[in-house]
Amino acid sequence: MKILVINPNTTQSMTDTIGHAAAKAAAPGTVTVTVQPDKGPVSIESQYDSAFCVPGMLEIIKAAEEEGGYAGYVVACFRDPGLEAAREIATGPVIGICEAAMHAASMLGKGFSVVSTLKRSAKVQYDLARKYGFIDQLMSVRAAGVPVLELEDAHSGAADKVKAETLKAIEEDGAECVLLGCAGMVDLAQRLTQETGIPVMDGVTVAVKMVEALAGLGLGTSKIVSYAPPREKPYTGAFAANAPGPVRKKAAE
C-alpha cells in the first residue's frame, strides 16, 4: 500500500518532519510518500493562507491520480484546507488531520481540547468541530502563541509553550485528550503523552492509520453525488489568457 501525505505549505523542513512521523506510523508493507507544492505559503496561519495553498495541493493529487498506485491521501494541515475539493478528484480516501484527530479523540475520552499555534486559529477549530459533529466534546482551543515556523526552531521555546497550554487544557478545561493543532507539532505528541498521562495526538499519524484502515477494507471515496468528479470545462474570460496551453486553445475555440 502506498499513501501520499501532502504538506500544503512550501517549507521543506516541515515536510521532512511530517514525512518522518508518517513513515514511523505506517504499518509494515505501507509506503508513505510526503510531498509539498512548488508554490504557495511557507506556513498556513490564516484564511488567506488556507485558500492560497489549495491549488498546489490539488495539482499534486491530480498528478498522483494520473500516475496511479496511491491507496489514499493525507492532508497534513490542521485547518483541513481543500479537503472536499480533493475528494472530488481522488478515488481513494482523503483524510484531513484535524478530522482524523477529532474522530479518534471522541473514542478515547469524553472531552478534548486543541492546542494550536496562534490565537486566530481558535475560531477555525470551533468551526471544524461543529462541521464534523464534535462541538459538544470540544472543551477548549488554546493558543500557544507560536508562529508555525517557530516549531521548526529547536531554540525558540515553542515546545515548552505547547506543553504549558496542554497542561492548562487538562487541569483547567477538563480535557481528557489533547489534539496538537498543527502538523508541525507532530514530533511532540509521543513525549507529551508520556509526560501528561493522557492521549496527546497529532493528526498526521492518526490520518495515516485511518487511510490504511479504509483502503485496507477496499473502501474509497464515493463518487455518486457529493464527491463526483468535477466536469471538465474550458477557462473563460480573463482566466483564458492565463490558462495552460491546451486549455487556452480550447477556450479560444
Side-chain angles (χ1 to χ4, degrees):
M1 184 185 297
K2 189 162 67 168
I3 298 172
L4 188 63
V5 181
I6 305 162
N7 171 20
N9 73 42
T10 59
T11 298
Q12 184 64 54
S13 59
M14 188 172 294
T15 301
D16 294 341
T17 300
I18 292 168
H20 176 74
K24 187 176 179 180
T30 297
V31 176
T32 58
V33 178
T34 305
V35 297
Q36 66 189 47
D38 294 329
K39 297 179 181 179
V42 296
S43 64
I44 300 172
E45 300 176 338
S46 65
Q47 299 287 12
Y48 178 87
D49 294 337
S50 294
F52 189 25
C53 79
V54 170
M57 183 186 78
L58 295 181
E59 287 179 5
I60 288 172
I61 295 175
K62 189 172 183 179
E65 285 290 298
E66 293 171 355
E67 176 186 331
Y70 289 98
Y73 304 88
V74 171
V75 177
C77 171
F78 213 78
R79 288 172 174 254
D80 289 353
L83 186 60
E84 295 189 337
R87 286 173 176 159
E88 291 186 355
I89 58 175
T91 53
V94 183
I95 306 294
I97 65 172
C98 175
E99 178 184 46
M102 287 186 178
H103 275 277
S106 74
M107 295 181 279
L108 297 175
K110 282 292 188 179
F112 62 84
S113 291
V114 175
V115 174
S116 193
T117 49
L118 300 175
K119 187 176 180 180
R120 68 185 302 167
S121 298
K123 186 62 167 62
V124 175
Q125 302 311 319
Y126 280 107
D127 287 345
L128 288 175
R130 189 172 293 107
K131 175 182 177 181
Y132 297 147
F134 298 118
I135 192 63
D136 291 338
Q137 296 183 54
L138 179 59
M139 309 301 289
S140 63
V141 179
R142 288 187 166 271
V146 176
V148 170
L149 294 184
E150 282 191 13
L151 295 166
E152 298 297 291
D153 181 359
H155 304 292
S156 67
D160 291 335
K161 293 176 183 178
V162 171
K163 180 180 178 179
E165 295 305 319
T166 298
L167 292 173
K168 289 178 184 178
I170 298 167
E171 296 165 2
E172 299 177 18
D173 306 331
E176 296 184 6
C177 302
V178 171
L179 314 184
L180 300 179
C182 178
M185 298 179 184
V186 65
D187 55 350
L188 301 179
Q190 187 174 8
R191 183 187 112 192
L192 289 175
T193 295
Q194 294 171 346
E195 292 177 353
T196 63
I198 71 163
V200 178
M201 287 175 283
D202 78 275
V204 174
T205 54
V206 177
V208 167
K209 302 308 287 186
M210 286 188 174
V211 172
E212 277 187 333
L214 293 171
L217 291 169
L219 300 175
T221 301
S222 174
K223 294 299 175 182
I224 191 169
V225 180
S226 301
Y227 298 131
R231 290 192 308 112
E232 292 293 335
K233 47 191 175 291
Y235 288 87
T236 58
F239 292 101
N242 297 318
V247 178
R248 185 166 60 246
K249 181 180 178 181
K250 188 175 181 181
E253 292 173 354

